[in-house]
Amino acid sequence: MRVAVISDIHGNLPALEAVLAAVAPFDALWHLGDTVGYGPQPNEVVDRLTREGAVGVRGNHDSAATGLIDADWFNEDARVAIEWTARVLTPASRAALLALPERRSEGEFTMVHGSPRDPTWEYIASTAVALVGLQDLTTPYGLFGHTHDPRVFRARGGTVETLGPTDHAELQLDERVTLLNPGSVGQPRDGDPRASALVLDLDARRATWHRVAYDIRAVQARMREVGLPARLVDRLERGL
Ligand code: ZN
């Protein structure tokens, strides 16, 4: 069974379309939240995931855009984008986002946006935080997003090993408890502007990362058209 794992799409439909085409065919699509926020096509992205039969979890931007948490917790640009998103979301998109759980388990994998102990807010961006996350997992493997950085944290004795997978990087899953981040589809922040995704081959127990080019200019033009903040427009082409 081949599972495509994606995260942090952030309303970027061209990036999502490019990723789905690049990793097809797949038997299941799992997403790790922040489906909306930042990007100009939140409804189209929610629709696309629904049509693909995707299962996933809710991220902090999804919670803010649907009114579950206060947008004032976010920085200025993010807040402006969240408020715009909240205004344009259709009732069907809102309902779909509100129906998402904060945590979900599929077989040996737990899905969260942030971390197992704080799925909404906590960033697993250091080995210290990752160690707690690995200990909190109730399944052998965990899938997380939120940092927009393709990453692996794996338990090794009492310490944590970390890997930063690049395009086509492969990881053999074994008896070690492991946290995996597919990177961001719609707003990568590791210096590579290409959309990022992860494919799990459950039979071979192998994870493979993919980077996929898409039409960044088209997304930027649409962002300008709807009046999203200039800094959010600019960062897309830098991948930062
Ligand atoms: Zn995000």
Side-chain angles (χ1 to χ4, degrees):
M1 178 162 165
R2 195 174 144 88
V3 182
V5 184
I6 56 178
S7 190
D8 297 276
I9 307 162
H10 282 294
N12 186 335
L13 184 68
L16 174 61
E17 296 284 8
V19 160
L20 294 179
V23 301
F26 45 84
D27 304 300
L29 178 61
W30 296 350
H31 76 85
L32 309 175
D34 277 8
T35 297
V36 303
Y38 296 135
Q41 292 181 281
N43 292 309
E44 292 87 338
V45 166
V46 172
D47 283 352
R48 189 73 167 93
L49 291 183
T50 304
R51 277 191 284 125
E52 289 289 339
V55 297
V57 293
R58 196 173 61 234
N60 53 323
H61 285 254
D62 307 320
S63 292
T66 51
L68 287 175
I69 57 176
D70 201 326
D72 288 341
W73 288 103
F74 291 77
N75 70 50
E76 172 70 11
D77 289 335
R79 188 179 56 75
V80 169
I82 285 164
E83 285 168 354
W84 177 84
T85 303
R87 280 198 300 277
V88 303
L89 275 184
T90 63
S93 299
R94 272 181 56 82
L97 293 171
L98 286 168
L100 293 169
E102 283 192 302
R103 290 185 187 79
R104 183 188 290 268
S105 293
E106 293 284 332
E108 293 182 298
F109 294 84
T110 298
M111 292 179 233
V112 290
H113 181 63
S115 75
R117 71 174 166 185
D118 182 354
T120 299
W121 288 113
E122 187 168 56
Y123 290 90
I124 305 182
S126 69
T127 52
V129 176
L131 181 59
V132 179
L134 289 164
Q135 289 163 347
D136 286 345
L137 277 178
T138 53
T139 56
Y141 311 114
L143 300 167
F144 71 103
H146 197 36
T147 61
H148 298 210
D149 178 32
R151 183 67 49 186
V152 174
F153 292 105
R154 187 158 60 179
R156 197 172 52 185
T159 63
V160 177
E161 168 186 36
T162 181
L163 309 166
T166 51
D167 193 15
H168 296 115
E170 286 187 3
L171 182 79
Q172 192 65 45
L173 297 172
D174 56 24
E175 72 288 352
R176 286 171 285 185
V177 180
T178 307
L179 281 162
L180 305 97
N181 188 324
S184 168
V185 170
Q187 198 201 77
R189 291 181 192 157
D190 62 340
D192 182 344
R194 293 177 297 172
S196 190
L198 167 63
V199 174
L200 293 172
D201 182 329
L202 298 186
D203 305 307
R205 307 181 75 74
R206 190 173 53 231
T208 310
W209 280 258
H210 296 272
R211 298 309 285 257
V212 185
Y214 71 96
D215 192 349
I216 293 176
R217 302 255 173 244
V219 179
Q220 290 177 313
R222 204 180 264 265
M223 289 174 80
R224 286 192 197 95
E225 225 172 83
V226 301
L228 286 163
R231 266 196 300 260
L232 296 180
V233 177
D234 294 340
R235 74 187 299 182
L236 272 192
E237 70 195 54
R238 291 181 288 121
L240 290 172

